[in-house]
Amino acid sequence: EIIQREQILKRIHDEGHAFGLHTFTHDYKKVYLSPESFINEMEETQRKINEVLGEELEIKVIRFPGGSAGKLNQQYFEAIKNKDYHIFDWNVNIEDGVQPNLSPQQFLENAKICSDNSITKILLAHCNLSNANTCIALPLIIDYYKEQGYRFDIITNDTKEYYYSFKGEILK
């Protein structure tokens, strides 16, 4: 949600972080009504970000609310690719979206579990008002991965996308 968090959005930008689009309403019924509705949600988010920042960023990174599994199909894929969006799911989930009150130590343990054998790890973590323990766990998670030899990068429009394959997938 951007509305009433405009200063946070500006701070994120000023500190050099990148943005991804995740829909404007986060209302699953509206977002997943059709591929067109999904795209409209992304475009509305883009417009609002640019309005708040007073800039014309071109954000092509997207994340499906709830992840793309069970939602991404060829129709959505084609609509997304026609807009040159790049889909990002995750392969490490600290589970703070569904269990925000887990301990920071449990979030760290969850962060050590990767759902595939990819060298690249894309971690899902949240920053809602209910995610205080996520904020405590994050330095622990960062230290853990740095100790494992990982480095942290910003996902940009040029980053190779990572999404879950879907039934009937026809790559373009």
Side-chain angles (χ1 to χ4, degrees), residues 4-76:
Q4 297 184 352
R5 292 180 180 89
E6 291 86 351
Q7 293 308 313
I8 295 170
L9 187 79
K10 289 177 183 176
R11 179 179 165 201
I12 291 167
H13 183 61
D14 291 347
E15 291 181 6
H17 302 284
F19 291 106
L21 305 176
H22 185 58
T23 74
F24 194 75
T25 65
H26 211 269
D27 176 346
Y28 281 38
K29 288 181 181 177
K30 183 176 180 185
V31 171
Y32 296 119
L33 182 65
S34 68
E36 296 75 26
S37 182
F38 182 89
I39 296 297
N40 288 340
E41 286 273 325
M42 298 300 173
E43 290 175 339
E44 180 64 23
T45 306
Q46 172 80 71
R47 279 191 295 278
K48 187 63 177 178
I49 290 170
N50 285 341
E51 175 188 314
V52 169
L53 297 178
E55 296 190 26
E56 286 301 318
L57 301 179
E58 186 179 18
I59 303 167
K60 294 299 183 179
V61 171
I62 65 168
R63 182 171 78 78
F64 279 63
S68 73
K71 300 170 193 84
L72 182 59
N73 60 32
Q74 195 63 36
Q75 281 183 306
Y76 277 82

Side-chain angles (χ1 to χ4, degrees), residues 108-171:
L108 172 61
E109 293 308 310
N110 291 349
K112 296 176 183 180
I113 302 166
C114 185
S115 64
D116 62 22
N117 60 3
S118 175
I119 294 170
T120 299
K121 308 294 188 232
I122 300 178
L123 187 131
L124 177 66
H126 295 79
C127 60
N128 298 317
L129 293 175
S130 62
N131 293 113
N133 283 347
T134 301
C135 296
I136 296 167
L138 200 54
L140 305 172
I141 294 167
I142 290 169
D143 288 346
Y144 167 78
Y145 275 105
K146 284 185 174 179
E147 288 168 8
Q148 302 298 312
Y150 283 88
R151 62 183 168 78
F152 289 80
D153 286 329
I154 295 172
I155 295 175
T156 70
N157 293 344
D158 298 320
T159 305
K160 184 177 186 259
E161 67 185 346
Y162 177 90
Y163 62 89
Y164 308 134
S165 60
F166 56 91
K167 187 176 181 180
E169 181 175 6
I170 303 167
L171 297 176

Side-chain angles (χ1 to χ4, degrees), residues 95-111:
E95 299 293 337
D96 66 333
V98 291
Q99 299 181 78
N101 295 319
L102 290 178
S103 71
Q105 189 60 39
Q106 185 59 58
F107 288 144
L108 172 61
E109 293 308 310
N110 291 349

